[in-house]
Amino acid sequence: MASDVGVCLGHYRELVKSGRYKASSREAAECLSLLFGRSIAVGEEVRLDELMPKPRAHRVYDSPLELLTAGWPTPLLKVSGPPKEAYAKLEWYNHFSASVKDRTVYYLLRSVEGERVVEVSSGNVAVALAAVGNVLGKKVKVYIPTAGRYVAPFLDFLGVEYQVLDVSMTVEALEHLQKDIREGAVHPNQFGNDMNFIAHLRTAAELDWQLSSVGRRPDYIIAGLGTSGHASALGFYFGVKYGTKLIGVQPRDWIPGIRRVETGMKWISLVEAEIVDVSLREALEGVREFARKTGLLIGPSAGAVYKAFTAQRHGGVYVLIFPDSLMKYALLLEQLR
Ligand code: PLP
């Protein structure tokens, strides 16, 4: 693709603002083709509506990939009423990794050519790549930092090759890929591949569609920061369309799946965001409070998002992104007891 999503942002901004956009240059056509997942010709006009989900009423699907895309939207649950009204996007209703990362991986894998794929991941991306890789017939290998070893049993069952490394952060594992890349494996690169950001413009369109059905526009979106892909794309789309503010959550110490902005992330600089710190203890308190209130077991980074929401003073409509559920973390929680 165009090596930097920056060149596409102007085109995406107009599309989001006016709901339709004519690809009047080759660059525009290329940017729109990436977002819409089909070839768009110069001169063709596209509509934002095309990105909205087309759910199957009876939930009958012909193939696993169809289960993913026609299974959208993931549920949006109202978790509190005015003056601080909040809607939680339950991303564990993605079927492969039971996380928001199915969306990223679906776009990443379509953007790379080659049968062998190598990536680093501390959890959800590893599972999503292994799973979607199986569906698409790709041979996947993943390197996992020590903290992500709780996903190893899932990778065993999915039958992919993996190696747990003695490093604490996922980005530190990147240098281990070089040998595989030299030997012909492709690296989708969730940290640098703009398809990560673009995938979540579609998530944003889906969320917009859901909120519109109940006559709501978000004043705030609260989301955790890992690669910053989902938070930045949602911040961009809703910022352009409604002036929504993004609140990005980073760990004060350590929370699986998210990290601190100063460790380097590509897309957060494309949007204005307020960054808040949440500790692991607070995140798990958030998980506990949410479970007592709703009966739903959300993952630690979702707990951090919920905790950041409860600390907010301003009234308005909030959207909280819950990337996954607690189920995958059983092994990890056992160690934290
Ligand atoms: N929460 C969990 C559980 C994750 O696995 C991730 C990313 O791996 C995130 C949050 C952050 O998502 P992103 O990489 O889009 O910033």
Side-chain angles (χ1 to χ4, degrees), residues 96-170:
F96 292 105
S97 63
S99 85
V100 68
K101 287 297 180 181
D102 281 12
R103 298 178 186 268
T104 317
V105 159
Y106 174 67
Y107 268 73
L108 285 181
L109 280 185
R110 290 190 320 168
S111 77
V112 295
E113 280 170 21
E115 293 308 299
R116 289 176 50 226
V117 174
V118 65
E119 184 57 291
V120 294
S121 164
S122 60
N124 284 326
V125 166
V127 179
L129 263 181
V132 181
N134 280 354
V135 176
L136 297 179
K138 307 256 185 206
K139 193 167 160 15
V140 172
K141 180 173 180 183
V142 269
Y143 289 92
I144 309 170
T146 339
R149 63 188 180 281
Y150 59 91
V151 296
F154 302 104
L155 301 180
D156 280 328
F157 280 105
L158 285 163
V160 301
E161 196 183 335
Y162 64 88
Q163 197 176 325
V164 181
L165 299 169
D166 190 18
V167 296
S168 59
M169 273 205 325
T170 310

Side-chain angles (χ1 to χ4, degrees), residues 12-335:
Y12 294 156
R13 190 173 287 117
E14 288 311 310
L15 170 69
V16 170
K17 250 195 222 162
S18 39
R20 55 176 64 203
Y21 189 61
K22 189 166 171 182
S24 48
S25 65
R26 239 187 75 202
E27 181 187 274
E30 262 180 40
C31 291
L32 294 171
S33 302
L34 292 170
L35 176 59
F36 285 80
R38 66 179 177 85
S39 173
I40 288 161
V42 178
E44 187 178 339
E45 186 176 85
V46 290
R47 295 172 58 94
L48 191 60
D49 288 359
E50 200 189 312
L51 292 180
M52 306 305 174
K54 296 170 189 65
R56 296 278 159 81
H58 294 90
R59 293 172 66 85
V60 177
Y61 307 99
D62 279 341
S63 73
L65 267 191
E66 198 180 270
L67 173 65
L68 179 67
T69 54
W72 290 331
T74 52
L76 189 65
L77 175 69
K78 184 171 180 178
V79 295
S80 80
K84 266 173 67 187
E85 190 173 345
Y87 294 84
K89 184 84 169 137
L90 310 183
E91 285 293 277
W92 66 87
Y93 281 86
N94 280 297
H95 308 279
F96 292 105
S97 63
S99 85
V100 68
K101 287 297 180 181
D102 281 12
R103 298 178 186 268
T104 317
V105 159
Y106 174 67
Y107 268 73
L108 285 181
L109 280 185
R110 290 190 320 168
S111 77
V112 295
E113 280 170 21
E115 293 308 299
R116 289 176 50 226
V117 174
V118 65
E119 184 57 291
V120 294
S121 164
S122 60
N124 284 326
V125 166
V127 179
L129 263 181
V132 181
N134 280 354
V135 176
L136 297 179
K138 307 256 185 206
K139 193 167 160 15
V140 172
K141 180 173 180 183
V142 269
Y143 289 92
I144 309 170
T146 339
R149 63 188 180 281
Y150 59 91
V151 296
F154 302 104
L155 301 180
D156 280 328
F157 280 105
L158 285 163
V160 301
E161 196 183 335
Y162 64 88
Q163 197 176 325
V164 181
L165 299 169
D166 190 18
V167 296
S168 59
M169 273 205 325
T170 310
V171 279
E172 292 174 81
L174 279 171
E175 64 190 70
H176 291 264
L177 310 186
Q178 295 315 317
K179 185 164 172 285
D180 299 272
I181 294 171
R182 275 197 304 275
E183 288 169 2
V186 288
H187 176 210
N189 190 8
Q190 58 158 329
F191 295 98
N193 186 334
D194 289 323
M195 293 313 289
N196 181 345
F197 176 89
I198 291 171
H200 294 298
L201 291 178
R202 185 160 171 184
T203 317
E206 171 181 316
L207 180 53
D208 192 14
W209 181 79
Q210 289 176 295
L211 286 166
S212 303
S213 76
V214 287
R216 295 292 182 277
R217 296 170 168 198
D219 298 301
Y220 302 95
I221 290 179
I222 311 186
L225 302 169
T227 62
S228 81
H230 79 263
S232 309
L234 295 172
F236 173 80
Y237 179 106
F238 286 101
V240 166
K241 197 154 181 194
Y242 306 122
T244 304
K245 296 199 171 60
L246 174 67
I247 301 171
V249 177
Q250 64 177 5
R252 181 165 296 130
D253 38 23
W254 177 79
I255 295 169
I258 58 175
R259 62 201 171 90
R260 296 187 63 80
V261 173
E262 68 261 22
T263 60
M265 37 188 80
K266 185 169 181 189
W267 301 285
I268 196 67
S269 58
L270 300 177
V271 289
E272 265 181 46
E274 179 192 335
I275 308 294
V276 298
D277 282 18
V278 177
S279 68
L280 178 61
R281 190 179 57 78
E282 290 165 335
L284 297 179
E285 264 170 35
V287 173
R288 194 171 297 115
E289 282 166 26
F290 195 76
R292 309 269 157 111
K293 183 179 156 100
T294 65
L296 294 169
L297 291 166
I298 57 177
S301 72
V305 166
Y306 186 63
K307 203 64 188 174
F309 165 68
T310 60
Q312 293 297 312
R313 298 240 174 89
H314 302 290
V317 176
Y318 287 75
V319 170
L320 317 179
I321 309 296
F322 289 175
D324 65 3
S325 82
L326 200 59
M327 304 309 181
K328 235 183 257 117
Y329 301 95
L331 209 64
L332 184 73
L333 293 170
E334 196 55 38
Q335 291 159 18

